[in-house]
Amino acid sequence: MAFMCATGKHRKPGRVKRTTAQAAGIAALTTTGVIGTLAASPATAAENTAEQTGLTPVISVGDDIAEQIDAQAAAQQQAANQKAAEQAAAKRAHELREARARAARAAERERLNAFVIPIANSYVSTGYQASSSLWSSGHHTGIDFHAASGTPVHAVGMGTVVSTGWGGAYGNEIVIRMADGMYTQYGHLSSIGVTVGQQVTPGQQIGLSGATGNVTGPHLHFEARTSPDYGSDVDPVAYLRKHGLDV
């Protein structure tokens, strides 16, 4: 004789079916890390049920535990986002510091490679190789910049002082070996403000103009030379113009 279930009535699922569902639920909970955060009481109850019935229980998660898991996940995501933001900010700050340092180095190189006029707001009063009996060579070996006594005299570029002191007809003079291998000479000074071996930079004050030596009035005598010695002069105007100055 066949037995039929009454309408609207259903038999409970078999043990195999229940066990499969339970195992699937536990696997899902393990994957999400829920089992590790469950309260002790549901786990204990599940163990007691298993001992009494011999069946593998399906662990159900209450709303409060689910909310705790969601909150924990949200907190972890927020912490990860904050850490990523801090790392990105640190990287941008490092890149900005590097860019500023590169710009500062470039500006310093540009400054050190620049040339300036030895007397600010002045002009050439006597040109190169002008003829006159005033000079022992019969011609002018440099150029004269108009300047009253006591006017600041500046190094035209970066270099090293190789000579200072009395220069005969040049009066008090300074000779500087330039970074490009040339030499510059500053004569007739009333005061010398540097010493031999000193490094100078473009525009640095090295002395004061005057009227020492063989002169008819105060001015700055300026020469460009291939060596520190008299007689190795070249056109100082061409030399300064080569370095970007309008003389």
Side-chain angles (χ1 to χ4, degrees):
M1 179 182 294
F3 295 93
M4 303 294 291
C5 293
T7 305
K9 302 291 185 177
H10 301 280
R11 289 182 297 174
K12 293 181 180 180
R15 180 172 180 172
V16 173
K17 186 174 182 180
R18 290 199 303 273
T19 302
T20 303
Q22 291 162 353
I26 291 171
L29 291 171
T30 303
T31 302
T32 59
V34 169
I35 288 178
T37 61
L38 292 178
S41 56
T44 304
E47 291 173 358
N48 293 337
T49 302
E51 292 176 356
Q52 295 170 4
T53 63
L55 299 176
T56 303
V58 174
I59 301 174
S60 61
V61 179
D63 291 342
D64 57 340
I65 297 178
E67 290 175 358
Q68 292 177 18
I69 294 170
D70 291 342
Q72 182 181 11
Q76 291 174 346
Q77 184 61 50
Q78 183 179 4
N81 292 342
Q82 182 177 355
K83 183 177 181 180
E86 290 173 353
Q87 290 175 340
K91 181 180 179 181
R92 288 194 298 270
H94 176 72
E95 291 174 347
L96 181 60
R97 288 193 299 270
E98 287 293 313
R100 288 175 176 171
R102 287 193 297 270
R105 289 193 295 269
E108 182 65 7
R109 285 195 300 270
E110 183 176 356
R111 184 185 74 84
L112 293 177
N113 289 328
F115 268 60
V116 301
I117 298 294
I119 298 287
N121 303 315
S122 184
Y123 59 89
V124 175
S125 58
T126 305
Y128 180 58
Q129 290 190 334
S131 298
S132 174
S133 59
L134 293 174
W135 301 295
S136 59
S137 62
H139 65 273
H140 201 204
T141 55
I143 56 177
D144 291 342
F145 283 94
H146 174 77
S149 290
T151 302
V153 175
H154 307 282
V156 296
M158 184 171 64
T160 303
V161 178
V162 296
S163 177
T164 63
W166 187 256
Y170 291 112
N172 294 321
E173 67 170 1
I174 298 171
V175 179
I176 298 175
R177 186 182 190 278
M178 308 303 293
D180 62 2
M182 293 288 287
Y183 293 81
T184 53
Q185 183 242 18
Y186 311 76
H188 307 312
L189 303 175
S190 61
S191 176
I192 295 173
V194 290
T195 58
V196 173
Q198 182 176 339
Q199 301 287 321
V200 295
T201 56
Q204 179 178 334
Q205 182 174 326
I206 58 176
L208 299 175
S209 63
T212 58
N214 184 18
V215 296
T216 58
H219 64 276
L220 172 69
H221 177 84
F222 175 79
E223 288 189 17
R225 299 173 174 179
T226 58
S227 79
D229 303 319
Y230 171 82
S232 63
D233 53 278
V234 297
D235 185 353
V237 172
Y239 177 70
L240 295 177
R241 286 178 177 173
K242 177 183 177 181
H243 288 282
L245 298 181
D246 183 15
V247 181

